[in-house]
Structure formats: C-alpha cells, structure tokens
Amino acid sequence: MSVPAGPDPSSPAGRPGVEASDDRPTAPIPTVRAARPTTGSGDDPSIADPGRGQGSAAAPIVERTPDGVPKLTRRRDGALLGGVAGGLADHLRVPATWVRATFVFLALISGAGILAYALLWIFVPQTPRLPAGEKAEPTRTGRSERRQALGIAAVGAALFLAAVGLGLEHVLGWVLGPLGLAAVGAAFIWREADDARRRRWRRSAAGLVAPGGSSWWRILGGCVLVIGGLAVFALGQLDFLAVRSALIAVLLTLVGVAIITVPWWLRLVRDLGDERRERVRERERAEIAAHLHDSVLQTLALIQRQAGDAREVQRLARSQERQLRTWLYGPAGYASPSGAGPAGPTGTLAGALAEAAGAVEDTYAMSVTPVVVGDAPMDEHLAALVAAAREAMVNAAKHAGVQEISVYAEVEDDTASIFVRDRGAGFDPTAVDPDRRGLAESIHGRMNRHGGSASVRSNPGEGTEVELTMRIRSAVETEDDPAAASGPDGTVGAAGRPGPSPRREDAHR
Amino acid sequence: MTTPPSANPVRVFLVDDHALFRAGVKAELADLADDRIAVVGEAGSVGEAVVRIASDQPDVVLLDVHMPDGGGRAVLEQTHARYPGVVFLALSVSDAAEDVIAVIRAGARGYVTKTISGRELADAVVRVAAGDAVFSPRLAGFVLDAFSDRHVPAGVSDPELDLLSPREREVLKLLARGYAYKEIAAQLFISIKTVETHVSSVLRKTQKSNRYELSRWASDRRLV
C-alpha cells in the first residue's frame, strides 16, 4: 500500500511524497550554507524563516540534471555579458573561451550567433544566488558589473567598426545616438530584472509593486533612457514625413514597452508557478506530517507501552484505524474530491450511526462494522432510532460474547431500518425477565414512542438480530421543500433516497 | 459453500507494492497448511505484475488497489481482457466506496479488506477460484447503494442489465446484514448454489452495467 492517491494523481494534493525530489537535490544545501557564514543578516527571508529553506530560492549553487550534468543556467560569476557562454560551457564541460569563440564565429554568419545569444539570455534562467546579506554583495557585484560593462562596450565597439567597415556611416549618427541610448536603458532594465527578481518575487507579490529603493531608480532610469531614446529617434524623423514618423514612433514605443516587459512576465510566470507549487507541496507535507504525528505515532507509542494487553492494543488500533479512515476517506476526508464536505457527518443518519458504532467499539473493545445504504438528515425520530440501535449494539457487546457485530442500515423511500446482528450466545426472547429495562425500555419503548417498531430474533446458540424500523417523516416533507433537500449531503450513499438525490448531487459541484 | 477439495491447489499470485505485506500474506497462507492454496509468485509494481501474470497464468491474483502507476485498476485493465481465465480478488486497506466500485467494475471478482483473517482470506480465494463472487457486507452495501436510485432517465439504460431483481436485492441485503451464504439460503428457502448464482449475477451486472446512475456516481467522484 502506498499513500492513497486522490482520484487524480497528477494534482498537487494527490501524492505529496512523490514529487518531493523534483529537480532540486537537497543534499548540497548544508554544505553550501556551511561554506558561507555570511548568512547572518536578518533581512533574507529564506534564513529568517527556517521552515522554507528547502527548495526555495536558497537552492544549491549548482543544480544538476539526473545524469549529473550541471543544469543549463547562466553564470552569475565570471560573466562577460549575460553569463550565457559561461553557463553553456559549464553545461557542456568545455572551456568558456571555445563557446565564446563559437558565438563570435556564428555572429559573423549573418548574426546568427547574436540571435542565439540573445535568445539564450532570455530563456535560460540565471544560476540561483546564494542567500547572502545585501551588504556583503557590493564588491562582488561591482567587479562583475564592471566586467559586464566592459564586455558590452566591446560589443558596441565591434558593431561600430563593423558598421564603418560596411559603409553604413550615414546611419551611424542616429543609430549610435538615440537608439544607442535606448539600448543602454534596455540593458539596465534587463540586468535589474535578472538580478533582483528572485529576491523580490520571493518576498511577496507586493515586491512586484514596490521593488526596493535602488532598483526603482535603476528601472526608472532604464525606462527613461529607452523611451527617451526612441522618442528622440522618432522626433528626428519628423522632418521627412510627419505622419509616417508618428506611426513609427508609436510602433517603436510599443516595441520598447515589449522589450521592457518581456523578461519580466516571462520570469514572473515561471517563478510564481514554481513558487506556488512549492508552497502548496510544503503545506501539504506539513499537514500530513502533523496529522500522522498527532494520531498514528501517538497510538503506536501507546501500543508499545501496552504491548502485553492484547485487548487494549486491539482497542487502540481499532479506534486509530477508524479515525485515520475518516480522515482519509470520510465525506470531508483527505481523499474526497471536495476536501471538505458541506456538512459534517453528524448531520445525517449515516454519520450518527457511525459515531454510535465507534463509541461502542471503543467502550467494549470490539469491532462494529456499520454498512449504510442511502442516507437521511437527522431528526428526533431518527435520533431515537440510532439510540435504540446503539442500545442493541451495547447489549450484543455485553451479552453475546463475541468480538464482532454487524450493523446494517438502509434508507428506502420513507423508511429507515437498522439491523444489529451478532453471532454470539443468543437467548430466548420470551424468557427475558420483565424487569430487565434495556430491551423493554431503551429499544421497544423508545421505538414505539416515536412510531417505529422493533423486533428481536434470537435463538440460544445462534446469535441475535435486532431489527429496528422507523418511518421518516421529514423525508416526505423535504421532497416538496427544495431548500431543505439540498442541505444534507449523502455520506455513504450518494444515490440514497429517490426524491432529493439528484439535487443533492448537484450540490456537489 | 466450501467446494470439494481438489487435487490441484489454487495457484495464487500476490500483487502489492509493500514487500512486507506480501511476505505477511504468504506466511499466513502457508501457516494455514491449507493444501487448497499455493502461492506461486508475487509482484511489487504494475508493470511487473502484468508481465508475470501473463507468463505465470495463475488461477487467482490477489490485487492491491493502491499502487504507484495506476494501482490495481491499471493491472486489471491491462490483463483482464487478455486472460479471462485469471480471476482477480482485490485486497486493499481502503474500503472507500470509489475504490471498491472502480475495481469491481474493472473486472475484479471480489473485494476484501486487509484486516481479513488468514482463514477467511483462504476461503475467499477458493471461492473466487470456483467461479463465485466474494462480497463483504460493506461491498454489498456499496453495490446496493449504487443500484438503489430508481430515477433512471429513459433510454439511457438497459433495464435487462441495469436493475437488480428483487431476489438479488434480497440476497444482497442479507449479505449486507452480515449473513453467511448458508444462512441466506436457509432464510430464503433456496439452495446455497442459488445464492451463489444470484451473487454472481449481481457481480456481472455491476461490471457490465452501463447504468447512467453508476457512471454518474463515478464521475461525481472523479473516477472516470
């Protein structure tokens, strides 16, 4: 037996344990943490809250595919431009220089290398950053930023020389002016989105709206550069054909906006999805662990201490089994589609009977297995019926001398019947002393007062069966009363009573 | 209800993803020293079970309902149609109605829970091997429940198949009340053989039934 699967195993709630080993190996975490004692600063959420350390952004520095090959991510350290070539080199296990040379070579073939580089920059995620205090960052970041700036400048110079070489000087004026400005702004924004996003998304969705002080300025500056550059470029064209230029300006602004937002929504969607899945999984795990701890583990501990007392062990195991079963398969149980039934099981005949059977099981350390066909909402008459059934179970537990009682209840049209049967000693019903109040008062008397009937079949040595029948008055009323009919939910029997049942099933959805 | 002990023991195959449980069942069946039964093999996964059942051709497969990769239902779907001679008895810790009905509809000949005693399990195995169906009171209750709604839209269902006959209902109800086949026969003044026939036809109807209500009942619980 494995964890009982929900009807749909692919749902996050279905099999919590199975997906735990997603693609983030958990083993390296301790080493990584130990190697970096700078984690003392309190403002990093993954450290402030130990509960979420695992698998969140405090991930190991090198993620690996199942084959042990480092996962394709862009380098954070030692990146010249976006860290694409370095990351690719790590992934392919070749020197970074080769990869860079390949990109340059491909770039000469009508720019294919540049396109590939750009696409990889967009779609390959950056190596997750170690949780570290923001104050510990500047030197490292400063150095890598300088390096990246140099790299970008080199690319710019190369493009400039290429343009000159190709005889495009006349375009260079406006390309290098406003468009270059726009490009610088876009680069700003891209870098910011690259670097800050994990920190920010991790904190909360609010981070999206209010991304810390310095990031704001950088993003704002980037936007101003992009839009300003494009606007100047467009205005520069106004001299020639005003209308077309306006159109071009609008188009280019849109393009600019798209360039600004693409990396964000792309990563936002990806990160939020990951984040949510992870959170749901974590909560699920915690919930199951807590429940098992409170229930099964406690009972097992108790059983170990009472191992000598077979009766007590059975009683504990039985009541624990029933409780866990209810938690798993009950109407509001873990495996039920809704997760939480509309009304508790106590509101119906099936629930009340299960409760009574459970109480008898616990009190007399025996097994009572109720089978219920159909269901009905409780009223005072049905309460009397259940009370009488309970008395019959108690009688069987006390006098029959057996370990097992069968209880069968059915609701048909407007009649509810309960059969309580044991295979124990049995007795002669006619020879029961009239001063024995149990049978006379608790069963016969109670049933008669509520308009029901009770009959006892028993023979010495053949066991006893008590049959209890009660008319359901409320059922007749509820069939005309839709509001009342939609209230109770069938626990065992969805197809219980003929009248209101279609309505009840609609209430499921 | 016991069949005359045959010279050939019933060849039983265990499918359960818990090795410990398989070992326990094997030991318990061996301890009974019941020469009606011989455990011939076991499997711990759906794929292994499908392959081994095809090669071993056991008489009875004791089938766990909850396993990775689809569980007992997947095994039934992949083998039941191809090997009609192999009989499946579901043995599960779950007695949730949806599990029970799902494997019965997929073709299992009976359903017992894992709390069953070794002696009862052996009896159940011999009974299903002899062509009978094994209904616990709980299972009888579920089947009654699934068939009890008489508001079936016209034209959707096949009345011949879809409704339980009054006699079958009676037999099922007595089963649900915890009566043994022998006692049911005595109560209804019919032979045990007749009781078995009724129960088998109930099983057939449960499996073959295209009843609107049954499928709706299943889809309400996201079974299909």
Side-chain angles (χ1 to χ4, degrees), chain A residues 100-321:
Chain A
R100 292 196 178 112
T102 313
F103 270 121
V104 171
F105 175 71
L106 285 175
L108 295 178
I109 307 172
S110 54
I114 295 173
L115 188 67
Y117 196 96
L119 286 176
L120 282 171
W121 197 342
I122 294 174
F123 286 108
V124 174
Q126 204 168 19
T127 311
R129 185 211 293 272
L130 286 172
E134 314 226 342
K135 290 198 177 68
E137 283 298 301
T139 48
R140 205 165 61 91
T141 315
R143 212 184 318 130
S144 80
E145 268 177 355
R146 254 198 306 282
R147 207 163 39 210
Q148 288 190 358
L150 279 175
I152 293 170
V155 169
L159 284 176
F160 176 74
L161 289 177
V164 171
L166 292 172
L168 297 169
E169 290 95 337
H170 60 285
V171 239
L172 275 181
W174 51 266
V175 165
L176 279 189
L179 281 192
L181 221 56
V184 169
F188 247 129
I189 290 163
W190 272 70
R191 251 204 63 79
E192 190 53 35
D194 231 23
D195 226 69
R197 69 194 165 89
R198 282 191 171 271
R199 256 194 339 260
R200 210 172 331 122
W201 299 163
R202 201 174 51 209
R203 277 192 192 132
S204 68
L208 183 63
V209 203
S214 67
S215 325
W216 253 126
W217 285 115
R218 272 185 270 182
I219 292 168
L220 212 67
C223 287
V224 167
L225 283 176
V226 170
I227 293 169
L230 289 174
V232 170
F233 168 66
L235 287 175
Q237 310 287 308
L238 271 181
D239 297 345
F240 308 117
L241 279 163
V243 182
R244 211 179 66 184
S245 299
L247 249 164
I248 290 173
V250 169
L251 267 177
L252 287 180
T253 310
L254 286 178
V255 169
V257 168
I259 291 172
I260 291 165
T261 50
V262 160
W264 269 329
W265 61 253
L266 207 67
R267 294 189 172 113
L268 184 67
V269 167
R270 194 162 54 199
D271 282 10
L272 285 185
D274 285 357
E275 187 84 6
R276 196 176 300 126
R277 238 192 329 275
E278 192 61 39
R279 244 203 320 271
V280 165
R281 219 178 283 155
E282 244 168 59
R283 205 174 46 221
E284 198 84 12
R285 268 201 292 268
E287 200 176 293
I288 293 171
H291 186 270
L292 292 184
H293 173 267
D294 292 347
S295 59
V296 180
L297 280 187
Q298 308 284 2
T299 308
L300 285 179
L302 215 53
I303 284 178
Q304 282 185 36
R305 298 175 48 142
Q306 312 220 352
D309 186 348
R311 220 176 140 77
E312 182 64 12
V313 167
Q314 276 193 354
R315 189 185 70 76
L316 285 169
R318 210 170 269 140
S319 79
Q320 185 57 67
E321 189 200 337

Side-chain angles (χ1 to χ4, degrees), chain B residues 164-176:
Chain B
L164 299 179
S165 75
R167 241 315 133 73
E168 285 161 358
R169 295 182 74 85
E170 243 171 313
V171 169
L172 268 192
K173 277 184 190 178
L174 287 172
L175 264 176

